[in-house]
């Protein structure tokens, strides 16, 4: 895997870049909305102070590593973050995304995610995975638009919210080995199964 940590990418409409200390207010607007954060593991942020701590813990530390993919999604018109796309450098290579709800239904997350996926493929990752709560099928549609395939479902007591969630796991392999399935969630959680017609 090439050394690469969130270098700037561009699409027709978007700039994808690192969050900076100047983006704390924008970060707060992304992570404070209860509806946006319903299907995310953390609780909505309550203040700019919390947003600053969140930035330091989730982003600033990650940017100090050799490799990483923790992008702010910005419109080219003003370069202000309205969402994010991340790909984990852990062995799950988990793709995650979020977007302020006033920008929903415009294909922005799909456009940003496709570009980030192209970058991780170029950098030598063999696959990406993504999971979504079965109560959030819209996220699953994004995964399908990105070319990902459903592999299995599992139940997890999700922290820190401490709620039982059934997740669907999707995967996209870049090397044609479509039989490769990331099995860690299947092996970790005793309740797991394959749904039909997903």
């Amino acid at each position: 895997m090439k050394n690469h940590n969130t270098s700037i990418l561009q699409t027709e409409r978007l700039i994808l870049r690192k969050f900076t200390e100047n983006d704390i207010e924008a970060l707060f607007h992304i992570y404070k909305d209860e509806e946006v954060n319903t299907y995310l593991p953390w609780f909505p942020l309550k203040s700019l102070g919390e947003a600053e701590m969140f930035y330091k813990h989730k982003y600033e530390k990650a940017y100090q590593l050799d490799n990483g993919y923790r992008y702010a999604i910005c419109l080219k018109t003003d370069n202000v973050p309205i969402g994010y796309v991340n790909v984990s450098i852990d062995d799950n290579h988990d793709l995650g995304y979020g977007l302020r709800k006033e920008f929903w239904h415009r294909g922005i997350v799909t456009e940003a995610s496709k570009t980030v996926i192209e970058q991780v493929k170029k950098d030598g990752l063999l696959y990406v995975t993504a999971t979504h709560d079965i109560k959030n099928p819209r996220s699953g549609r994004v995964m399908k638009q990105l070319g990902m395939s459903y592999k299995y479902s599992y139940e997890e007591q999700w922290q820190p919210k401490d709620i039982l969630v059934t997740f669907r796991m999707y995967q996209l392999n870049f090397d044609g080995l479509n039989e490769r399935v990331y099995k860690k969630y299947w092996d970790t959680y005793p309740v797991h199964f394959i749904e039909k017609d997903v």
Side-chain angles (χ1 to χ4, degrees):
M1 186 167 135
K2 293 177 186 170
N3 278 12
H4 170 95
N5 196 323
T6 318
S7 59
I8 294 173
L9 303 173
Q10 296 195 42
T11 73
E12 188 178 336
R13 295 183 289 176
L14 307 173
I15 296 171
L16 307 173
R17 61 166 176 82
K18 292 177 180 174
F19 284 99
T20 73
E21 287 186 344
N22 296 326
D23 298 321
I24 300 300
E25 190 170 347
L27 195 75
F28 178 53
H29 284 298
I30 296 165
Y31 284 98
K32 74 174 184 176
D33 188 288
E34 290 196 13
E35 190 176 352
V36 171
N37 287 277
T38 300
Y39 301 108
L40 299 175
W42 39 77
F43 293 101
L45 299 178
K46 302 292 188 195
S47 68
L48 284 171
E50 280 191 11
E52 188 171 359
M53 292 302 296
F54 189 85
Y55 164 75
K56 287 182 183 300
H57 180 67
K58 289 281 183 185
Y59 289 97
E60 193 174 58
K61 280 185 180 178
Y63 293 146
Q64 293 168 8
L65 302 174
D66 287 339
N67 295 297
Y69 305 92
R70 301 187 72 80
Y71 284 95
I73 301 173
C74 309
L75 295 174
K76 281 185 172 176
T77 49
D78 59 13
N79 197 23
V80 174
I82 58 171
Y84 62 86
V85 177
N86 302 322
V87 174
S88 168
I89 56 172
D90 295 334
D91 63 350
N92 57 5
H93 304 317
D94 179 63
L95 170 73
Y97 39 77
L99 189 70
R100 283 171 49 184
K101 68 183 174 203
E102 58 264 45
F103 298 98
W104 288 0
H105 311 302
R106 300 192 201 174
I108 289 172
V109 160
T110 303
E111 184 176 326
S113 296
K114 278 183 177 173
T115 304
V116 174
I117 285 172
E118 279 303 310
Q119 185 63 53
V120 302
K121 178 181 177 182
K122 196 186 299 180
D123 288 345
L125 294 192
L126 296 178
Y127 60 89
V128 290
T129 70
T131 60
H132 75 88
D133 186 325
I134 61 167
K135 295 176 185 170
N136 186 22
R138 196 178 76 243
S139 190
R141 288 196 288 276
V142 170
M143 293 170 194
K144 288 177 182 176
Q145 287 169 354
L146 295 172
M148 306 184 83
S149 301
Y150 167 74
K151 300 302 180 184
Y152 58 84
S153 304
Y154 63 96
E155 288 185 1
E156 177 183 354
Q157 194 71 24
W158 217 21
Q159 302 300 334
K161 291 183 175 176
D162 198 27
I163 53 174
L164 185 65
V165 177
T166 301
F167 286 105
R168 289 180 179 144
M169 203 282 285
Y170 283 73
Q171 186 164 332
L172 174 61
N173 296 326
F174 301 133
D175 55 2
L177 294 178
N178 293 327
E179 67 277 8
R180 183 200 296 111
V181 177
Y182 180 75
K183 296 295 291 288
K184 188 169 184 178
Y185 308 127
W186 181 278
D187 295 337
T188 300
Y189 300 104
V191 179
H192 51 246
F193 48 92
I194 296 173
E195 299 176 69
K196 291 182 178 176
D197 304 319
V198 172

